[in-house]
C-alpha cells in the first residue's frame, strides 16, 4: 500500500478511508496488475521512493527488454514481448496521470494487494482547500451567515399544497430535518466551470466514487407508500439523478387520480353491459342473423349470436364514458406538465440552481461536407429499421390470416370454437416478443449512428442519442397498435370483391363489435409484458444471472463467496458492481409508458392503473439498483430534465389527435349517435345492429372463394350479412356505399375537428391559468436578490470605515460574502476527511 500524498496521523482503518483511517476515499481508479514476484519486489521498492524514481523506472523499462532465448517459441515470445510493451505503456501513462493529480493538490494512495486478484486500486482524496477551489469553478452557491424567513404564501393553491403536506406528513421520510423549512440561508455563487479527469483508454479499467450509507427510507420495498427523500438523493447522486427521481415521483403521484377515474369508467361499463341494447340484439338467438364467411373456402357461414361474448366485452371499453375519459386524460396530461414545471422550479430554488446555466464546451464548426456522410448514413439506417418494423408487423398479419384458416380446417372442436381468442392472443404475444428483441437492437444501432456523427459535446451526444432511440423504440412499440386502431378492417373490400395481398392472402376483418377489443388486448399484453419482462424481470434477473456466471468462473460456492465479501473493502465491493450507464434507459422506459397511458387511453381505461402499480415497484427497484447494483455515478448538475420534457409535451399534444381518431373511427360511438338521432324510428338504439349490416347474395362469390361446407348451419344460405353500409344486391347500384356511409363519415371527421379544438382550447386555458413559477418562489427569489445587494453594500461599507482594505471593486475580495456560517467548518480544518466511518 503506497501513500502518494501528504502524510496524516495513523489511525484505525475504515472501508471508505485511506490506510491512516482519517482521510476519506472520494474517488477510485481501478487498473490491471501483474501478480508476479518481480512486480511485488518493484512495488515494495516503490513504496520508499518518490514519484520521480517511479517515473525513471517506468521509462527505463520501456528501453530494457530481455533477449529471446534460442529455445523459446518465436511466436509466443513475440506475443509476450508485445504484451509487455502494452503493460509498460499503460504503467507509464498512469504515472504521468498520477503526477498531474498530485500537482492539482489531490492526495493519492495505491493499493495493489487487494482481495480481487489482478486488480489494483488508486484511491483519491480531495482536501478541503481543493474542494473550495473547485466550488468556485463550479459556481456553487454556498450558505452565508445571513438567513431570512421563507414566506409560504396565502393564495388558494399554496394553501391547498400546505394542507396536503400536513395530511401526508406520516408518508414523508424522516430525513433532512436539521433545518426548519421556514428559514433559508442566503447563498452566494462562485464563478468558473468544472474540469473533468481525462482517463486514457485501457490505462484504467474503472473509475467511480465510493458508495456511502444511504437511508433505508428510500431503497426498501417496505416504504413503497412513502415519499422519496429527494434532497438526500440529490446530495448523494447529484442534481441530474435527483431530478429524475423527483420527476418519477410526480408522475406516479399524478397517476393516482387518473387510475381512479379509469377504474370508475371500467366499472361503469360493467354496470351497464346488461342494459346495452346493441349487445342484447347480438346475443338474442331469435334474430337468427346469418353472417358471411370470415375467410375464403375454409370458413363457412356463422350466426351473429356466436359473437355475444365479444360484443359484451367490447362494451366494457366502448361506452359513452370513454369519451369523457379521453377528455379527462388530455387535460390530465396538461396538468401533469404544469405540475412538474412548478415542482422543478421549487427544487431549483431549494437546491440553489435558480441562477445556474448549463454551458457546453466550445464546438468546432463542421462544414456541410464533413457532416453529410454521417447524416445520410443515419437517415438511411433509421429508414431501414423502421421498414424492418413494418415488415415484422406485416409478418404478424400474415400469421393471423394463415392460422385462422388452418384452425378452421382443424378436426378438434375445441380449436374450432376458440379461433378468435387463440389468434388474437398468440399474435399479441408474438408482437410483444418482437418488440422486446427489436428494442435491444434499436438501442445498439442508435448508439452506433450517434458515434458516427461525432458530436462535440456530451450534451449534444446525449440529445442525439435520445432522439434516435426514441424514434426507433416508439415506432417499434406502437406500430402494431396503430395498425389495429386505424388500418385493420378498413382495407378489406366486400364479399365477392375482397382485397388480397401477397397473392391469395385476404386482408383481415374486424369482429362485428369492431376492432376496439383486439386493440385493448394488444395494449394490455404489450404494456404488461414490457413492464413485467423488459423493465422489471430484466432489471432483476440479468444482474443475478451475471452474478451466477461470475461465481461459476471463480469456482466458488455460496459460502466461499459470502466469506470473500466479508473481507472486501468498500471500494473493492463497488468494483464488483455494474457500471452506471446513464439515465436514458430509465427515462425511455417511462416515456414509452406515458405514451401507452395517454395515446390510446380511449380503448384501454385501465392503462393508468397498471402504470401506477408498475411505478410504485419501479421507484424502489431503481433505488435498490442505484444503491446496491451499480457503481456510484459522478454527480452531475442540471436544472431540468432536458429533452425529455419536450418529448413528453409532444406526446401529450399527439394524444389528443390520436384519441379523437380512436373514438371516431375505431369505436362505434359516432355510428350509434348518428343512428339514434337521424335514423332511429323512436330515438332509441333498437334496430342499430340491423342498420349496420348489409346484404350479400351468396351466388355472387368469386370462383374458389365460396365455403367448402355451405350447409354447416343445417340449411342452404341464399343471403348472408356483413358489417358495412352498402346497397343491397339487385338495386341499381349494387354493393355501392349508401348515403348513410357518407353521413357517418362526415360525422366522424366533424367529431375529430370538434374534439381536437375543444380539448386544445381547454388545455391552453389551463396552461395560461397556472403560472410556471409558483408565486411564493418568485417572491422569495426577488427577496433573496435584494438581501444579497444589501449584504454586499454593508460589507463594502464596513470595510470602508475600518480602513483596513481598499474598497475599490476591482481590488476587493472576490467573495466577501462567504463568511463562515454554522454550516461551514472553521479555517484550517478539513471537514471532508472526517466521516462517521473514518
Amino acid at each position: 500500500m503506497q501513500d502518494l500524498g501528504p502524510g496524516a496521523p495513523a489511525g484505525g482503518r475504515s472501508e471508505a478511508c485511506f490506510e491512516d483511517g482519517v482521510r476519506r476515499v472520494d474517488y477510485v481508479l481501478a487498473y490491471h496488475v501483474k501478480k508476479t514476484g518481480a512486480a511485488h519486489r518493484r512495488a515494495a521498492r516503490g513504496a520508499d521512493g518518490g514519484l520521480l524514481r517511479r517515473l525513471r523506472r517506468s521509462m527505463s523499462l520501456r528501453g530494457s527488454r530481455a533477449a529471446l532465448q534460442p529455445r523459446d517459441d518465436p511466436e509466443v515470445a513475440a506475443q509476450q514481448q508485445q504484451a509487455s510493451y502494452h503493460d509498460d505503456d499503460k504503467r507509464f501513462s498512469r504515472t504521468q496521470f498520477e503526477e498531474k493529480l498530485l500537482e492539482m493538490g489531490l492526495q493519492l494512495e495505491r493499493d495493489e494487494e487487494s482481495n480481487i486478484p489482478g486488480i489494483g486500486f488508486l484511491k483519491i482524496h480531495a482536501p478541503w482547500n481543493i474542494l473550495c477551489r473547485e466550488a468556485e469553478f463550479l459556481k456553487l452557491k454556498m450558505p452565508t451567515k445571513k438567513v431570512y424567513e421563507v414566506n409560504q404564501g396565502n393564495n388558494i393553491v399554496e394553501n391547498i399544497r400546505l394542507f396536503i403536506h400536513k395530511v401526508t406528513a406520516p408518508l414523508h421520510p424522516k430525513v433532512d430535518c436539521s433545518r426548519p423549512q421556514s428559514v433559508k440561508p442566503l447563498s452566494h455563487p462562485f464563478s468558473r466551470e468544472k474540469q473533468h479527469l481525462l482517463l486514457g483508454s485501457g490505462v484504467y479499467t474503472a473509475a467511480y466514487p465510493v458508495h456511502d450509507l444511504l437511508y433505508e427510507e428510500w431503497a426498501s420495498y417496505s416504504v413503497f407508500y412513502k415519499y422519496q427523500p429527494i434532497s438526500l438523493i440529490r446530495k448523494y447522486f447529484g442534481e441530474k439523478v435527483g431530478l429524475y427521481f423527483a420527476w418519477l415521483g410526480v408522475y406516479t403521484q399524478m397517476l393516482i387520480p387518473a387510475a381512479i377515474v379509469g377504474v370508475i369508467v371500467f366499472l361503469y361499463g360493467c354496470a351497464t353491459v346488461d342494459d346495452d341494447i346493441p349487445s342484447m340484439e347480438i346475443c338474442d338467438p331469435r334474430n337468427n342473423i346469418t353472417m358471411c364467411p370470415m375467410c375464403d373456402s375454409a370458413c363457412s357461414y356463422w350466426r351473429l349470436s356466436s359473437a355475444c361474448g365479444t360484443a359484451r366485452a367490447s362494451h366494457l371499453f366502448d361506452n359513452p364514458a370513454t369519451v369523457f375519459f379521453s377528455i379527462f386524460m388530455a387535460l390530465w396530461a396538461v396538468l401533469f406538465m404544469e405540475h412538474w414545471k412548478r415542482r422543478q422550479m421549487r427544487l431549483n430554488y431549494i437546491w440553489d440552481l435558480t441562477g445556474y446555466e448549463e454551458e457546453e464546451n466550445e464546438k468546432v464548426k463542421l462544414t456541410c461536407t464533413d457532416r453529410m456522410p454521417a447524416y445520410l448514413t443515419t437517415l438511411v439506417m433509421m429508414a431501414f429499421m423502421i421498414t424492418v418494423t413494418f415488415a415484422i408487423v406485416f409478418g404478424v398479419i400474415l400469421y393471423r390470416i394463415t392460422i385462422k384458416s388452418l384452425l378452421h380446417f382443424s378436426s378438434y372442436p375445441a380449436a374450432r370454437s376458440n379461433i378468435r381468442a387463440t389468434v388474437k392472443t398468440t399474435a399479441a404475444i408474438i408482437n410483444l416478443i418482437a418488440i422486446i428483441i427489436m428494442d435491444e437492437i434499436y438501442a445498439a444501432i442508435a448508439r452506433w449512428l450517434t458515434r458516427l456523427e461525432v458530436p462535440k459535446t456530451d450534451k449534444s451526444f446525449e440529445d442525439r442519442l435520445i432522439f434516435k432511440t426514441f424514434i426507433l423504440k416508439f415506432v417499434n412499440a406502437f406500430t402494431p397498435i396503430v395498425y389495429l386502431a386505424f388500418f385493420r378492417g378498413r382495407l378489406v373490400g366486400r364479399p365477392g370483391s375482397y382485397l388480397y395481398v401477397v397473392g391469395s392472402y385476404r386482408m383481415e376483418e374486424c369482429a362485428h363489435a369492431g376492432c376496439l377489443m383486439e386493440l385493448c388486448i394488444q395494449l394490455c399484453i404489450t404494456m404488461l409484458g414490457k413492464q413485467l419482462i423488459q423493465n422489471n424481470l430484466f432489471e432483476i434477473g440479468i444482474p443475478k444471472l451475471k452474478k451466477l456466471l461470475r461465481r461459476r468462473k471463480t469456482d466458488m460456492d455460496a459460502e466461499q463467496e459470502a466469506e470473500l465479501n466479508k473481507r472486501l473493502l468498500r471500494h473493492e465491493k463497488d468494483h464488483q458492481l455494474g457500471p452506471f450507464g446513464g439515465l436514458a434507459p430509465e427515462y425511455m422506459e417511462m416515456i414509452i409508458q406515458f405514451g401507452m397511458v395517454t395515446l390510446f387511453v380511449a380503448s384501454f381505461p385501465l392503462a393508468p392503473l397498471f402504470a401506477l402499480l408498475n411505478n410504485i415497484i419501479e421507484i424502489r427497484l431503481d433505488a435498490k439498483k442505484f444503491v446496491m447494483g451499480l457503481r456510484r455515478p459522478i454527480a452531475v448538475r442540471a436544472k431540468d430534465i432536458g429533452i425529455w420534457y419536450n418529448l413528453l409535451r409532444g406526446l401529450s399534444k399527439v394524444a389528443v389527435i390520436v384519441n379523437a381518431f380512436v373514438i371516431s373511427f375505431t369505436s362505434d360511438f359516432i355510428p350509434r349517435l348518428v343512428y339514434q338521432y337521424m335514423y332511429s324510428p323512436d330515438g332509441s338504439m333498437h334496430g342499430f345492429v340491423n342498420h349496420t349490416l348489409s346484404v350479400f347474395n351468396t351466388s355472387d362469390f368469386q370462383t374458389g372463394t365460396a365455403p367448402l361446407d355451405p350447409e354447416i348451419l343445417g340449411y342452404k344460405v341464399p343471403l348472408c350479412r356483413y358489417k358495412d353500409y352498402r346497397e343491397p344486391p339487385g338495386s341499381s347500384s349494387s354493393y355501392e356505399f349508401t348515403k348513410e356511409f357518407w353521413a357517418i363519415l362526415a360525422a366522424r371527421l366533424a367529431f375529430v375537428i370538434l374534439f381536437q379544438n375543444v380539448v386544445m382550447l381547454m388545455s391552453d386555458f389551463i396552461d395560461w391559468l397556472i403560472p410556471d413559477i409558483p408565486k411564493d418562489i418568485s417572491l422569495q427569489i426577488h427577496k433573496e436578490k435584494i438581501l444579497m445587494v444589501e449584504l454586499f453594500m454593508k460589507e463594502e461599507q464596513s470595510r470602508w470605515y475600518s480602513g483596513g482594505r481598499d474598497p475599490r471593486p476591482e481590488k476587493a475580495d472576490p467573495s466577501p460574502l462567504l463568511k463562515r456560517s454554522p454550516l461551514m467548518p472553521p479555517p484550517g480544518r478539513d471537514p471532508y476527511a472526517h466521516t462517521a466511518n473514518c
Side-chain angles (χ1 to χ4, degrees):
M1 186 90 56
Q2 301 177 37
D3 186 355
L4 307 182
R13 187 182 182 189
S14 176
E15 289 190 1
C17 298
F18 275 25
E19 186 71 18
D20 54 27
V22 176
R23 290 171 293 171
R24 170 178 171 158
V25 178
D26 298 314
Y27 204 78
V28 175
L29 298 173
Y31 54 92
H32 287 296
V33 294
K34 277 190 173 182
K35 289 297 182 181
T36 61
H40 281 299
R41 287 192 298 271
R42 286 196 300 268
R45 289 195 303 268
D48 299 328
L51 179 64
L52 187 59
R53 185 185 305 171
R54 290 193 300 276
L55 180 61
R56 286 198 301 267
R57 184 176 64 252
S58 298
M59 295 182 66
S60 63
L61 285 174
R62 293 168 61 91
S64 61
R65 294 288 180 265
L68 291 176
Q69 299 297 327
R71 290 179 292 180
D72 287 342
D73 186 347
E75 184 176 355
V76 175
Q79 293 177 355
Q80 293 176 348
Q81 189 175 18
Q82 185 71 17
S84 180
Y85 271 114
H86 289 315
D87 291 341
D88 289 341
D89 287 339
K90 292 178 181 179
R91 189 182 303 111
F92 180 73
S93 300
R94 285 198 299 269
T95 303
Q96 286 186 316
F97 183 68
E98 291 165 10
E99 181 182 17
K100 292 181 179 179
L101 294 181
L102 290 171
E103 291 176 357
M104 292 174 61
L106 299 176
Q107 299 175 6
L108 313 179
E109 184 177 80
R110 186 182 292 114
D111 181 8
E112 294 188 352
E113 299 178 1
S114 66
N115 293 310
I116 304 178
I119 298 295
F121 296 97
L122 180 69
K123 296 182 283 187
I124 303 174
H125 169 71
W128 177 249
N129 60 328
I130 303 301
L131 294 177
C132 293
R133 184 189 68 193
E134 293 299 319
E136 183 177 356
F137 294 160
L138 283 168
K139 302 180 183 178
L140 291 179
K141 287 188 175 181
M142 302 298 292
T144 66
K145 293 180 66 176
K146 179 69 175 178
V147 295
Y148 64 96
E149 185 177 356
V150 177
N151 296 326
Q152 300 296 333
N154 296 318
N155 57 357
I156 298 177
V157 176
E158 189 62 27
N159 291 333
I160 294 175
R161 188 184 70 83
L162 292 176
F163 174 75
I164 295 174
H165 184 80
K166 291 180 180 179
V167 171
T168 59
L171 303 181
H172 289 273
K174 300 296 188 288
V175 293
D176 294 340
C177 301
S178 58
R179 193 179 68 206
Q181 297 293 326
S182 59
V183 175
K184 185 178 187 294
L186 195 61
S187 301
H188 182 267
F190 283 85
S191 61
R192 280 183 288 176
E193 189 51 71
K194 179 181 180 181
Q195 297 181 356
H196 299 282
L197 298 178
L198 301 177
L199 303 179
S201 177
V203 176
Y204 293 101
T205 59
Y208 51 90
V210 181
H211 266 300
D212 203 348
L213 295 178
L214 192 63
Y215 290 92
E216 293 186 0
E217 287 283 343
W218 182 45
S220 175
Y221 289 106
S222 61
V223 293
F224 71 92
Y225 59 92
K226 288 190 176 183
Y227 288 93
Q228 301 179 85
I230 296 299
S231 295
L232 185 66
I233 298 170
R234 172 250 179 176
K235 291 178 182 178
Y236 193 80
F237 292 109
E239 285 82 1
K240 194 170 185 178
V241 175
L243 282 174
Y244 163 71
F245 282 102
W247 174 85
L248 183 57
V250 170
Y251 173 47
T252 304
Q253 182 181 0
M254 288 294 292
L255 280 173
I256 296 175
I260 293 174
V261 176
V263 171
I264 293 174
V265 170
F266 177 75
L267 293 177
Y268 170 82
C270 295
T272 59
V273 66
D274 293 330
D275 300 327
D276 184 49
I277 295 175
S279 299
M280 295 168 60
E281 290 182 348
I282 293 175
C283 296
D284 191 354
R286 294 174 296 179
N287 290 331
N288 196 27
I289 299 175
T290 303
M291 303 296 293
C292 296
M294 298 294 291
C295 63
D296 293 342
S297 302
C299 303
S300 188
Y301 306 105
W302 54 286
R303 290 189 177 92
L304 181 61
S305 58
S306 64
C308 176
T310 304
R312 291 173 62 86
S314 297
H315 179 74
L316 302 179
F317 307 100
D318 187 5
N319 55 70
T322 57
V323 180
F324 159 76
F325 189 57
S326 299
I327 298 175
F328 171 82
M329 287 303 297
L331 301 180
W332 172 88
V334 177
L335 287 172
F336 164 60
M337 302 301 293
E338 293 300 318
H339 180 38
W340 167 244
K341 283 194 294 185
R342 292 169 63 86
R343 173 63 172 161
Q344 183 175 260
M345 192 62 206
R346 190 174 295 276
L347 290 176
N348 284 340
Y349 169 72
I350 295 173
W351 296 348
D352 291 324
L353 294 172
T354 50
Y356 171 70
E357 294 294 337
E358 296 183 23
E359 295 181 3
E360 292 188 353
N361 297 328
E362 293 185 3
K363 290 190 177 182
V364 179
K365 267 196 169 181
L366 298 178
T367 63
C368 186
T369 308
D370 296 328
R371 292 184 175 187
M372 195 58 65
Y375 287 164
L376 287 176
T377 304
T378 299
L379 291 175
V380 171
M381 282 299 300
M382 291 188 69
F384 173 74
M385 298 313 299
I386 292 174
T387 305
V388 170
T389 299
F390 292 161
I392 293 173
V393 173
F394 186 70
V396 176
I397 294 172
L398 297 182
Y399 162 82
R400 276 199 292 256
I401 297 171
T402 305
I403 292 298
K404 185 184 295 183
S405 300
L406 293 176
L407 289 177
H408 277 287
F409 278 117
S410 175
S411 58
Y412 295 100
R416 293 173 62 89
S417 62
N418 298 303
I419 293 176
R420 286 185 178 276
T422 303
V423 173
K424 291 176 186 176
T425 306
T426 56
I429 293 174
I430 292 173
N431 272 323
L432 171 64
I433 294 173
I435 288 171
I436 292 175
I437 294 174
M438 295 306 296
D439 267 356
E440 303 301 321
I441 297 175
Y442 287 158
I445 290 176
R447 183 169 291 277
W448 173 67
L449 291 175
T450 307
R451 286 173 177 168
L452 285 181
E453 297 176 5
V454 195
K456 294 303 178 183
T457 62
D458 290 339
K459 189 177 187 313
S460 176
F461 179 88
E462 186 179 20
D463 288 348
R464 296 185 188 190
L465 175 62
I466 290 170
F467 183 73
K468 293 181 185 65
T469 308
F470 171 75
I471 293 295
L472 292 174
K473 290 194 173 185
F474 182 84
V475 172
N476 183 44
F478 286 96
T479 299
I481 299 172
V482 170
Y483 164 73
L484 288 174
F486 303 124
F487 294 98
R488 184 177 179 183
R490 305 283 182 266
L491 308 174
V492 176
R494 61 170 179 82
S497 181
Y498 283 112
L499 177 65
Y500 294 88
V501 293
V502 194
S504 59
Y505 287 92
R506 186 176 124 187
M507 288 299 292
E508 297 178 286
E509 295 182 54
C510 291
H512 178 78
C515 286
L516 198 68
M517 192 61 200
E518 295 187 34
L519 176 61
C520 177
I521 293 173
Q522 180 68 57
L523 267 170
C524 182
I525 292 179
T526 301
M527 189 173 183
L528 292 179
K530 282 179 66 66
Q531 290 178 352
L532 294 177
I533 300 175
Q534 190 175 23
N535 299 344
N536 296 333
L537 188 61
F538 281 9
E539 291 184 3
I540 297 174
I542 290 181
K544 291 186 178 295
L545 181 61
K546 289 181 178 179
K547 185 177 181 180
L548 180 62
L549 293 176
R550 188 165 59 245
R551 183 189 298 173
R552 287 182 175 273
K553 288 182 180 179
T554 56
D555 296 329
M556 289 191 303
D557 56 19
E559 294 182 0
Q560 292 174 335
E561 185 177 12
E563 185 64 28
L564 176 62
N565 288 334
K566 291 180 181 179
R567 297 199 310 268
L568 293 179
L569 300 178
R570 179 70 265 173
H571 63 276
E572 295 172 337
K573 293 178 181 178
D574 289 353
H575 187 268
Q576 305 283 4
L577 304 178
F580 176 71
L583 291 170
E586 313 299 334
Y587 271 116
M588 191 65 65
E589 170 188 334
M590 292 294 107
I591 294 295
I592 297 297
Q593 184 200 86
F594 182 82
M596 295 280 183
V597 168
T598 55
L599 290 182
F600 294 92
V601 73
S603 61
F604 189 39
L606 294 179
L609 175 63
F610 291 148
L612 173 63
L613 297 177
N614 173 80
N615 288 4
I616 291 174
I617 301 174
E618 181 72 20
I619 290 176
R620 306 305 165 180
L621 186 64
D622 283 349
K624 191 172 182 180
K625 180 175 67 174
F626 272 68
V627 174
M628 302 178 63
L630 298 176
R631 294 172 189 159
R632 185 176 178 180
I634 300 175
V636 178
R637 301 184 77 198
K639 65 183 302 183
D640 52 42
I641 60 175
I643 191 175
W644 301 108
Y645 178 82
N646 298 328
L647 295 177
L648 286 168
R649 195 170 186 83
L651 283 177
S652 63
K653 298 291 185 183
V654 174
V656 177
I657 302 173
V658 170
N659 282 295
F661 275 95
V662 168
I663 295 171
S664 297
F665 289 92
T666 309
S667 72
D668 281 339
F669 177 74
I670 299 300
R672 293 187 183 195
L673 283 181
V674 172
Y675 173 78
Q676 186 174 2
Y677 293 105
M678 291 183 63
Y679 300 105
S680 175
D682 55 358
S684 68
M685 293 303 297
H686 289 286
F688 171 74
V689 173
N690 187 66
H691 181 261
T692 60
L693 297 176
S694 299
V695 181
F696 177 72
N697 192 330
T698 57
S699 62
D700 294 335
F701 273 119
Q702 292 178 340
T703 304
T705 61
L708 297 177
D709 187 7
E711 298 186 7
I712 191 172
L713 299 178
Y715 54 88
K716 187 177 180 180
V717 180
L719 299 174
C720 64
R721 310 292 295 273
Y722 62 99
K723 188 176 182 180
D724 210 341
Y725 294 92
R726 292 181 182 269
E727 298 289 348
S731 64
S732 58
S733 54
S734 299
Y735 305 122
E736 295 294 329
F737 289 118
T738 62
K739 61 179 182 180
E740 288 86 353
F741 171 82
W742 300 109
I744 291 174
L745 179 61
R748 291 180 193 270
L749 296 175
F751 178 83
V752 170
I753 296 173
L754 180 64
F755 183 90
Q756 176 185 347
N757 284 277
V758 169
V759 174
M760 288 291 189
L761 183 62
M762 296 172 66
S763 301
D764 291 340
F765 176 74
I766 293 175
D767 193 4
W768 170 80
L769 186 64
I770 302 176
D772 294 345
I773 304 177
K775 186 176 180 181
D776 61 317
I777 297 298
S778 178
L779 294 175
Q780 297 302 331
I781 293 175
H782 181 67
K783 181 178 180 180
E784 187 171 313
K785 291 180 180 178
I786 295 176
L787 290 175
M788 182 64 69
V789 173
E790 292 178 356
L791 184 60
F792 179 81
M793 296 302 296
K794 288 181 180 179
E795 289 288 334
E796 288 293 316
Q797 191 176 27
S798 62
R799 286 189 300 167
W800 172 266
Y801 288 123
S802 63
R805 296 184 182 180
D806 189 346
R808 290 178 295 176
E810 62 271 12
K811 293 185 179 180
D813 186 1
S815 43
L817 303 181
L818 293 175
K819 303 299 180 181
R820 184 168 58 87
S821 71
L823 299 178
M824 299 178 64
R829 178 185 169 192
D830 186 351
Y832 204 54
H834 299 274
T835 64
N837 290 336
C838 298

